[in-house]
Every structure is written in C-alpha cells, then in structure tokens.
Amino acid sequence: MDKKTTFREEADIKNILKLREILSTLPTFCKDYFRSIDTTTTTRTRISYAYDIRVFFQFLIQQNPSLKGMEIADIPIGTLDMVKAVDIEEYQEYLKVYMNQDKLETNSERGLKRKISALRSFYAYYYKREMITTNPTVLVDVPKIHDKSIIRLDNDEVAMLLDYIEHGGDHLSGQKRVYWEKTKERDLALITLLLGTGIRVSECVGLDIEDVDFKNNGIKVVRKGGNEMVVYFGDEVEQALKKYLPIREGITPVSGHEHALFYSTQRRRLGIQAVENLVKKYSREITTTKKITPHKLRSTYGTALYQETGDIYLVADVLGHKDVNTTKKHYAALDDARRRKAASAVRLREDS
C-alpha cells in the first residue's frame, strides 16, 4: 500500500462504491441531490442520508394506495408534491418502530432527528430548484433531543481500568492467558491513548505509525470533515505507546495494512467494532452501572480537561468540535457545579 493512499482515502473509496449501490435502489432524480451535497458532507454522512431517504420512500409505498406494488426506484419526483405535513408527522411516528426487510427497526430521539433533518435537506434541494412546488417538511418541527447527563469514568475507575488491562490476566491460564499476553500491550496503549487525548474511535483506528511523533509527543488525526490536526499527549500515553511498538514491530501485517498503528490478531488494521468490543470487555470488569463505550472515554477526557483548566474553548479545540456550543451543551452540568461553589465562596458577614 502506498503511504499516499491513506486509511481515510481507502474508506472513502469503499463508501463511494457503497453509496452508488444504495443510489441504484432509489429514484433516478435522487442522484442530483446527492451530487449537490458531495462537497459539504463526508461519504459516511451521504450513505446515512441515502439509507434515511430510502426508508422515507419505503414508508410512502406502504402508506399510499396509489404507490402500492411500485418499486422505490420507479417513484416519480411528482410524488414529493403529494406529501402533506400530516404525512411527515405520520412518518415520524412510523420511524419509532418499523419493519425493514423482516428486521424490526427502532429510532431514538437522535435517530428521529437525523432522519427528519435528512428529509428536510432533501426537500429543500428540489424546492429551491423549483422541481417541486411544496415543502411540507418546514411545517413540521424537528424532534427535540432531551439532554442526558454525561456518562464517564471517575478518576479511580480510570486507574482501575488501566490496572485491570495490565494485570487482569495474571490469574488466567491456557489459551485465555496466551491471548491476554498477546494483546495486553496493544490494548493498554490503545485505551490509554483514548483516555489521554479524547480522540474519536474512528480517528484512533485510522492512525498510521507515521502519524505518531514522539519528538513533540503528538499524533496527527483527521477530524470529521477531513481537517488534519495534531493532538498532543502526555507521559503516560508516551510510555504506553513505546511499550506497544516493539510488539507491533514483531507482527507481519497482511498486505495493505503495513502502516496501521494498531493491528488485530488477524494482523489487519484494528476496526471500530473491535475497539468498541474491547472497551466494553474491560470496562464491565470495573463498573456494572455504567455502559462504557469509546465515546464515553472521550467524555471522560473532556470532563477531566475542563475540570483542570476551566477553559471550554480549549476543550472544544482539542476534542475537534467545530462549534463551541456543542461543547458547552455537553459540559453545562460541570459549569453549573462550578457556579454553585461560587454561592458559598463569598462570605458577607463573619459568623458571630
């Protein structure tokens, strides 16, 4: 694999081919819309939108007698003008629970909002270009997302997690012991990196060995949207990575995976699902009340950084949030706790 062909570029190629496959099942006029958002969205986002739009057409065929038996690909653009605001409201209700190719699908508040937002964008494109005369999506409110408290590991839980990865296999025997020995340094380096930098799991698995700079203790990551950024790490991350690298050097990777920082036991680049599984495996040994995912490790880092610095703009920058309001929304509860301290920090009169 030529270094110039990065992990992200390879993923984009696969996603483009996947998008073409999905578009072949949609009405022909849909291609114009997806071409128009090509420069403003990632390939993963366009695939998600394509699936969402396909669900909408699936709903129309199921609910509209005039479309019964019609293939989604044969639906004419004029059908969009037949849809009323009440139909969009019914679609929202449909999305909560529906059957998709004999599989039961459900949507949370976040899933509902994304699908309705995708539909709004879809309708807006054809309405602005006067290809349809109505846009019922603007008459329906986008589903509200209720804020949830941040789930994160406490300081003692972070220490327990890392200790367990490092020493939890001491009591094992046989094949389990062999597997733990084989993956211990990799897993410790990976989870220490997630906890010590707050990078996304997709950014983590996309790292190449050349992206690690020990001279400046930084890693080059590709953020959402494609921007490159150097994220710096501390001594603990440095030590964990340096202990893992000799293990990595002893692995002969599968062709095309030579540059990956983290390898699976199959000698391929470690994938997102594999990282999610190993975080789940280790964290459930530490806490049974918190469902810990790689994103929760990101929240753990963001919380620690904000508590240490009180600088929400720094947290937003390091986490790669384009809008600081996104960061403020997530860490509002911490702000509130700091403000509460202010209530008792100033004494107006000494106790008599």
Side-chain angles (χ1 to χ4, degrees):
M1 180 178 110
D2 188 339
K3 179 62 181 77
K4 295 298 181 183
T5 307
T6 65
F7 168 73
R8 185 184 181 86
E9 288 166 344
E10 287 194 340
D12 276 347
I13 290 169
K14 290 178 183 176
N15 286 340
I16 288 169
L17 294 175
K18 183 65 178 177
L19 180 60
R20 287 176 183 171
E21 180 187 327
I22 304 167
L23 286 180
S24 70
T25 68
L26 294 177
T28 306
F29 65 83
C30 293
K31 290 179 182 177
D32 295 334
Y33 166 71
F34 283 95
R35 198 178 299 114
S36 76
I37 63 172
D38 184 86
T39 57
T40 57
T41 57
T42 64
T43 51
R44 286 180 64 187
T45 297
R46 293 198 293 281
I47 285 175
S48 295
Y49 273 30
Y51 278 127
D52 292 345
I53 298 303
R54 190 162 73 180
V55 171
F56 174 66
F57 284 124
Q58 177 183 307
F59 162 78
L60 291 183
I61 286 176
Q62 289 181 13
Q63 302 299 315
N64 193 319
S66 67
L67 300 178
K68 284 287 184 186
M70 185 180 287
E71 293 293 328
I72 289 177
D74 296 329
I75 293 177
I77 193 170
T79 302
L80 297 181
D81 268 325
M82 296 166 56
V83 177
K84 306 300 180 188
V86 67
D87 298 316
I88 304 296
E89 290 173 348
E90 285 181 9
Y91 175 55
Q92 283 193 38
E93 187 62 31
Y94 169 84
L95 287 173
K96 292 176 181 177
V97 183
Y98 65 96
M99 295 298 296
N100 186 12
Q101 297 179 344
D102 299 325
K103 182 183 176 185
L104 189 68
E105 301 278 4
T106 60
N107 279 284
S108 61
E109 288 178 342
R110 196 169 296 279
L112 280 172
K113 181 173 182 179
R114 193 195 75 189
K115 284 180 170 58
I116 296 302
S117 295
L119 191 61
R120 276 191 158 192
S121 171
F122 185 70
Y123 256 91
Y125 171 81
Y126 297 104
Y127 184 72
K128 285 178 182 176
R129 282 154 186 78
E130 299 181 335
M131 297 168 77
I132 57 176
T133 59
T134 58
N135 185 358
T137 63
V138 297
L139 304 175
V140 177
D141 293 333
V142 175
K144 180 178 173 58
I145 294 180
H146 295 87
D147 292 333
K148 296 179 180 178
S149 59
I150 301 173
I151 297 174
R152 58 186 179 271
L153 292 173
D154 297 328
N155 290 343
D156 62 326
E157 291 172 329
V158 169
M160 288 166 62
L161 176 63
L162 296 176
D163 286 345
Y164 183 81
I165 297 170
E166 195 166 14
H167 305 293
D170 289 339
H171 65 283
L172 299 175
S173 59
Q175 281 301 111
K176 287 186 177 179
R177 172 84 183 203
V178 171
Y179 185 80
W180 170 71
E181 288 283 5
K182 188 176 182 179
T183 59
K184 176 182 69 170
E185 299 300 348
R186 179 202 68 185
D187 294 353
L188 188 60
L190 192 151
I191 290 183
T192 302
L193 180 64
L194 290 173
L195 283 166
T197 61
I199 60 174
R200 298 175 177 90
V201 63
S202 59
E203 296 164 350
C204 180
V205 300
L207 287 172
D208 287 343
I209 184 66
E210 296 87 354
D211 294 328
V212 184
D213 171 18
F214 285 114
K215 182 182 177 183
N216 298 295
N217 271 13
I219 50 170
K220 183 177 71 177
V221 297
V222 180
R223 294 296 197 188
K224 284 170 76 173
N227 295 325
E228 284 189 356
M229 175 182 176
V230 173
V231 176
Y232 297 96
F233 53 79
D235 294 341
E236 291 171 292
V237 174
E238 178 189 6
Q239 290 167 16
L241 285 172
K242 284 184 173 178
K243 283 185 74 175
Y244 161 67
L245 288 184
I247 310 267
R248 180 194 176 278
E249 287 169 9
I251 297 170
T252 304
V254 170
S255 178
H257 296 259
E258 294 87 354
H259 296 281
L261 176 59
F262 294 111
Y263 288 129
S264 70
T265 51
Q266 286 77 41
R267 299 177 291 119
R268 297 174 179 273
R269 182 184 294 273
L270 202 63
I272 290 175
Q273 187 68 56
V275 176
E276 290 174 343
N277 289 341
L278 71 88
V279 168
K280 181 180 178 181
K281 177 182 76 172
Y282 289 123
S283 62
R284 67 186 173 203
E285 299 292 338
I286 305 306
T287 173
T288 57
T289 58
K290 298 175 182 177
K291 185 180 178 183
I292 301 300
T293 64
H295 194 76
K296 301 300 187 297
L297 300 186
R298 181 168 155 83
S299 297
T300 299
Y301 172 80
T303 299
L305 182 61
Y306 186 55
Q307 288 177 330
E308 191 66 31
T309 65
D311 188 342
I312 199 70
Y313 291 94
L314 174 64
V315 177
D317 184 41
V318 174
L319 290 181
H321 290 163
K322 288 184 178 179
D323 185 354
V324 74
N325 288 318
T326 302
T327 322
K328 286 180 178 177
K329 183 176 68 176
H330 283 102
Y331 298 96
L334 300 179
D335 251 345
D336 189 56
R338 292 170 74 238
R339 283 194 294 269
R340 284 177 186 275
K341 286 184 180 179
S344 56
V346 178
R347 306 287 299 187
L348 301 181
R349 291 193 290 179
E350 293 297 324
D351 293 334
S352 56

